[in-house]
Amino acid sequence: MHVTLPHGVQLRYDDAGSGQPVVLLHAFPLSAALWRAQLSTLGDRMRMIAPDLRGFGGSPATPLPQSLDDYATDVLALLDTLNIERAVLAGLSMGGYIAFALLRRAPERISGLLLADTRATADSEETRAARAVNARIALEEGSAALAGRMLPNLVAPGASEALRAELLSIAAANPPEGIAAALHAMAARPDSTPLLAEIRVPTTVVVGAEDTLPPPAEAQVMHNAIADSRFVVIPHSGHLSAIERPAEFNLALVELVMRVEAASRT
């Protein structure tokens, strides 16, 4: 589905299933296609809204986002358009960064959090420099060239060639301008570590056992800082746990939704 939001941004999004609203925020440099296994199997358990973030998939890159707050603004406007007051946020990697931006902007709109293969800390100077290089590669050589460079770090070594080809195809379809803008927005994001102790909604931290971006030990630190959170390490998965090991990821998401529903009844 496509929608033009009140502030003029056009978004393509999936809206599948019924029940507890869950917003699925995809990883970089992918699109809502990351969530194919969730959208096709969990519709009897929850209502899933999966936007192509601005500049990814079927969502145009104009106006170019300047910060992660721009993506957060889009998500809030989409919720308003769909008349959804509160939703669970499930953010993977860059999607987790946007979840933190939403937590700063509108915590009252969030009923639960799943933070997958992401981190609360800001980028180091080295990482910021690497993102700037990657932005230049995207603009000068194209999205496919950057995706080919990034892919080995995004999945576990044992990931199938079919999955690798699918991910490369998803990433290559994104406009270079959207890729570059997202890289600059991620590099400029603030440290969200102080927010962790303020989270009061049911939360699950998920990480692939073979993820290096961030590794499980870093995800464990984030989990330890969030009161009453759950911690799930998914075996045989790298950075893209939702599509690498969907059954295990789905179990963690369903369990979180059950806790959100139980909390709403108390």
Side-chain angles (χ1 to χ4, degrees), residues 207-263:
V207 67
E210 299 179 52
D211 193 355
T212 60
L213 305 166
E218 186 173 348
Q220 173 86 56
V221 172
M222 189 165 64
H223 153 65
N224 291 343
I226 304 172
D228 300 320
S229 63
R230 305 287 174 86
F231 185 52
V232 177
V233 179
I234 297 182
H236 312 297
S237 177
H239 190 58
L240 301 176
S241 53
I243 198 168
E244 291 184 75
R245 305 292 293 185
E248 292 90 336
F249 186 95
N250 289 0
L251 186 62
L253 181 55
V254 168
E255 190 274 339
L256 172 64
V257 168
M258 290 175 64
R259 284 194 287 139
V260 169
E261 292 171 341

Side-chain angles (χ1 to χ4, degrees), residues 171-196:
N174 293 320
E177 297 81 5
I179 293 285
L183 284 161
H184 290 304
M186 287 189 288
R189 75 184 191 280
D191 182 7
S192 294
T193 304
L195 289 176
L196 300 178

Side-chain angles (χ1 to χ4, degrees), residues 29-30 137 142-152 154 167-172:
L30 303 173
I137 291 171
S143 299
L146 178 61
R149 292 172 183 247
M150 292 186 64
L151 187 60
L154 296 181
L167 294 171
L168 183 59
S169 176
I170 294 170

Side-chain angles (χ1 to χ4, degrees), residues 51-238:
D52 286 337
L53 297 166
R54 196 192 309 183
F56 293 87
S59 297
T62 52
L64 282 175
Q66 303 301 309
S67 74
L68 294 181
D69 283 338
D70 292 328
Y71 300 107
T73 295
D74 296 347
V75 172
L76 289 172
L78 179 60
L79 289 177
D80 290 341
T81 299
L82 298 176
N83 296 313
I84 296 173
E85 183 177 351
R86 300 184 81 213
V88 174
L89 298 181
L92 197 155
S93 189
M94 182 179 77
Y97 304 156
I98 296 167
F100 284 126
L102 284 159
L103 191 63
R104 281 190 293 272
R105 291 272 302 277
E108 73 282 357
R109 305 294 297 272
I110 302 170
S111 58
L113 280 170
L114 190 146
L115 301 168
D117 302 285
T118 193
R119 53 167 48 103
T121 53
D123 278 354
S124 66
E125 289 300 325
E126 180 182 5
T127 301
R128 290 190 186 101
R131 292 200 197 276
V133 170
N134 284 340
R136 287 197 296 273
I137 291 171
L139 292 173
E140 294 173 4
E141 301 179 32
S143 299
L146 178 61
R149 292 172 183 247
M150 292 186 64
L151 187 60
N153 292 325
L154 296 181
V155 294
S160 70
E161 290 305 315
L163 177 59
R164 292 171 186 270
E166 178 185 6
L167 294 171
L168 183 59
S169 176
I170 294 170
N174 293 320
E177 297 81 5
I179 293 285
L183 284 161
H184 290 304
M186 287 189 288
R189 75 184 191 280
D191 182 7
S192 294
T193 304
L195 289 176
L196 300 178
E198 300 176 8
I199 295 174
R200 293 293 181 267
V201 295
T203 300
T204 298
V205 177
V206 173
V207 67
E210 299 179 52
D211 193 355
T212 60
L213 305 166
E218 186 173 348
Q220 173 86 56
V221 172
M222 189 165 64
H223 153 65
N224 291 343
I226 304 172
D228 300 320
S229 63
R230 305 287 174 86
F231 185 52
V232 177
V233 179
I234 297 182
H236 312 297
S237 177

